[in-house]
Amino acid sequence: MKHSFKHITYIIIILAGYLGYSQEENSGFTQNSSINLTSAASTNIQSHGTSGYFYNPKRAIDGTEYLFDEWENKAVVYTKDNYKYSLKNINLNIKRNLFLTRLSKDSIFTFNMNGIDKIVVNNKVYKNIYSEKGRTICEVLFESDKFSILKSFYLHTVEGSPNPMINRVNDKIIRKNTFYVLKGESLIKFRFTKRKVLTLIDSDRIDAIREYVKLKNLSFRKEKDVKQILDYNTSL
């Protein structure tokens, strides 16, 4: 097994050199295939078959298409067949909707999410979500048998301009997020307001929730407070 893994890695590295890419942020080169989590956990490398593309931006770009600024993030990967693996080098590429682990400065390898139940990164839960809108990786803020509250990530690009009065020569990538309620396969945009949150509460519990919010000095507009409110509702 170890000899086979090294052989695959050697082939991939040769192929990468042949294609002549520099950094994954500039070239957009990725490797994809079935996951070998045991090897990934022990070496923080994922072996895959190859596919790739290149992206050459028209101008320099400020910002990043990755969710985390740094790659050194502690993660636990939970598979659908009840195994779990620890990693210390992981990131989410928002544009490609993929989790990746870095092999070297110039090489990154992707996770096949089909066999994964969830990935916990820095104590936050991320799942592959399927809805009528398609597949996306979301942070799960709250989950119950009735509904889930999700945070979805996307990128907004502000174009640069040669106009010195604008003072923005480079394009700029801005990371943004949207909240959703998932019921079955229906994904509905959600805003943190008192009225919206209370629609998720059974009518016979609303008075108790209002008293709890007042007692704990919570806000219906804050992400962490809403999670606490919904957790309390579940405990009633």
Side-chain angles (χ1 to χ4, degrees):
M1 176 67 180
K2 189 175 291 184
H3 174 75
S4 175
F5 181 77
K6 288 182 178 179
H7 181 64
I8 293 171
T9 305
Y10 181 70
I11 292 173
I12 291 173
I13 291 172
I14 290 177
L15 178 61
Y18 176 76
L19 290 173
Y21 66 94
S22 55
Q23 294 184 359
E24 76 279 0
E25 288 84 358
N26 295 328
S27 67
F29 184 84
T30 61
Q31 306 284 348
N32 303 279
S33 82
S34 61
I35 193 167
N36 187 329
L37 281 171
T38 302
S39 296
S42 61
T43 64
N44 211 33
I45 299 171
Q46 248 185 316
S47 62
H48 294 285
T50 61
S51 65
Y53 65 89
F54 291 85
Y55 172 64
N56 295 313
K58 295 180 180 178
R59 58 173 66 88
I61 298 177
D62 296 328
T64 177
E65 59 189 37
Y66 291 100
L67 179 60
F68 308 113
D69 292 328
E70 304 294 334
W71 282 77
E72 292 183 3
N73 299 293
K74 293 182 179 180
V76 180
V77 179
Y78 294 83
T79 68
K80 291 181 179 179
D81 51 358
N82 297 319
Y83 288 94
K84 64 180 182 179
Y85 304 86
S86 296
L87 297 168
K88 59 181 179 180
N89 180 348
I90 197 169
N91 216 324
L92 174 65
N93 188 299
I94 299 172
K95 181 178 180 180
R96 301 174 196 166
N97 196 33
L98 290 169
F99 270 107
L100 310 102
T101 186
R102 177 174 273 172
L103 169 61
S104 69
K105 182 179 179 181
D106 299 328
S107 303
I108 53 177
F109 293 81
T110 67
F111 287 86
N112 181 344
M113 294 295 292
N114 291 333
I116 293 175
D117 178 51
K118 63 183 177 181
I119 298 180
V120 180
V121 184
N122 300 333
N123 297 318
K124 294 184 178 181
V125 178
Y126 298 85
K127 283 191 172 184
N128 218 19
I129 302 298
Y130 294 91
S131 70
E132 73 275 9
K133 298 180 183 296
R135 182 192 74 84
T136 186
I137 295 175
C138 296
E139 180 185 343
V140 181
L141 302 180
F142 175 82
E143 189 172 31
S144 71
D145 294 337
K146 295 181 179 179
F147 65 89
S148 299
I149 303 292
L150 308 171
K151 182 192 285 189
S152 177
F153 306 96
Y154 66 97
L155 302 174
H156 174 68
T157 301
V158 179
E159 291 189 0
S161 171
N163 187 342
M165 299 298 293
I166 296 179
N167 193 28
R168 190 176 64 245
V169 177
N170 298 339
D171 288 351
K172 184 176 182 179
I173 294 176
I174 301 173
R175 292 169 293 193
K176 291 182 172 287
N177 60 69
T178 304
F179 297 99
Y180 289 94
V181 172
L182 177 67
K183 294 183 178 181
E185 291 190 355
S186 296
L187 201 60
I188 305 165
K189 280 190 175 182
F190 185 77
R191 292 179 59 198
F192 289 155
T193 66
K194 181 177 181 180
R195 183 177 67 84
K196 289 287 188 180
V197 173
L198 290 179
T199 61
L200 302 174
I201 308 297
D202 292 339
S203 58
D204 60 339
R205 296 180 178 180
I206 289 179
D207 289 342
I209 292 298
R210 284 174 171 161
E211 290 180 10
Y212 179 76
V213 170
K214 185 176 180 180
L215 178 66
K216 298 295 184 178
N217 194 28
L218 301 177
S219 170
F220 287 101
R221 296 184 179 276
K222 294 181 179 180
E223 180 182 321
K224 65 180 182 62
D225 287 4
V226 170
K227 183 181 184 307
Q228 184 175 340
I229 291 166
L230 294 176
D231 285 339
Y232 176 72
N233 175 62
T234 301
S235 70
L236 293 177

